[in-house]
Amino acid sequence: LKNDVVVKNKNVKFPIVFSLTESQLNELLNLYKEQWWSKHRTIHDTKTIAKESDIIIGVTTKTGQLVGFLRVLTDFVDIAVIYDVIIHKNYQKRGLGTTLINQVTQHPKLQAIRYFDLFCKPEMNTFYQKFGFDIPKTGTNMLRFKYNG
């Protein structure tokens, strides 16, 4: 995997990171606060999520500011589930989301995986379909149990 990438149409490099500093964890919390699915997360949640995820991949500016992120939970054999694909609003439309997806699908630890799964809003389907993701025709649904404890 490359440690940095050149953004399309610009000669600007954005380093790729596979662990987060304390300040990047705070920046991740700020990214979470901007998303509909993660507004409720605290700094404690954010640190736990980063620590307990099997793989995390971030995109930073040359000064180290976290501007893109995703994480993966996997068994390293059959399925890898991609969560929390986020690009800072000021850095969207620069190829960073593409960079993150390419980084995860090409990750050396994930080459034996049969399926990559992710959840997204319908308007994001076209973006992910460019990478080979599709809506499975298995007749299954994602089910959720809400724990109130």
Side-chain angles (χ1 to χ4, degrees), residues 47-148:
K47 288 178 179 182
T48 302
I49 286 166
K51 179 182 175 202
E52 300 299 334
S53 294
D54 295 307
I55 293 172
I56 62 171
I57 303 173
V59 179
T60 70
T61 64
K62 64 183 177 182
T63 62
Q65 177 191 356
L66 186 72
V67 295
F69 179 81
L70 66 70
R71 65 190 183 99
V72 178
L73 298 179
T74 183
D75 56 20
F76 293 101
V77 175
D78 208 30
I79 296 174
V81 184
I82 302 168
Y83 291 97
D84 298 346
V85 182
I86 306 171
I87 302 297
H88 187 287
K89 63 185 173 188
N90 295 340
Y91 291 86
Q92 293 177 359
K93 306 291 185 205
R94 298 187 190 196
L96 299 181
T98 295
T99 295
L100 284 174
I101 297 301
N102 287 335
Q103 287 283 321
V104 77
T105 58
Q106 296 169 17
H107 195 287
K109 290 184 175 181
L110 300 176
Q111 293 311 294
I113 295 296
R114 261 180 94 195
Y115 298 105
F116 286 92
D117 290 341
L118 61 78
F119 303 96
C120 69
K121 285 191 166 185
E123 57 266 27
M124 293 302 298
N125 287 355
T126 303
F127 173 77
Y128 292 111
Q129 286 169 336
K130 294 186 301 190
F131 304 97
F133 287 88
D134 64 5
I135 299 168
K137 294 168 180 59
T138 59
T140 61
N141 294 308
M142 192 228 11
L143 301 176
R144 176 171 288 159
F145 171 82
K146 183 171 181 177
Y147 181 71
N148 294 318

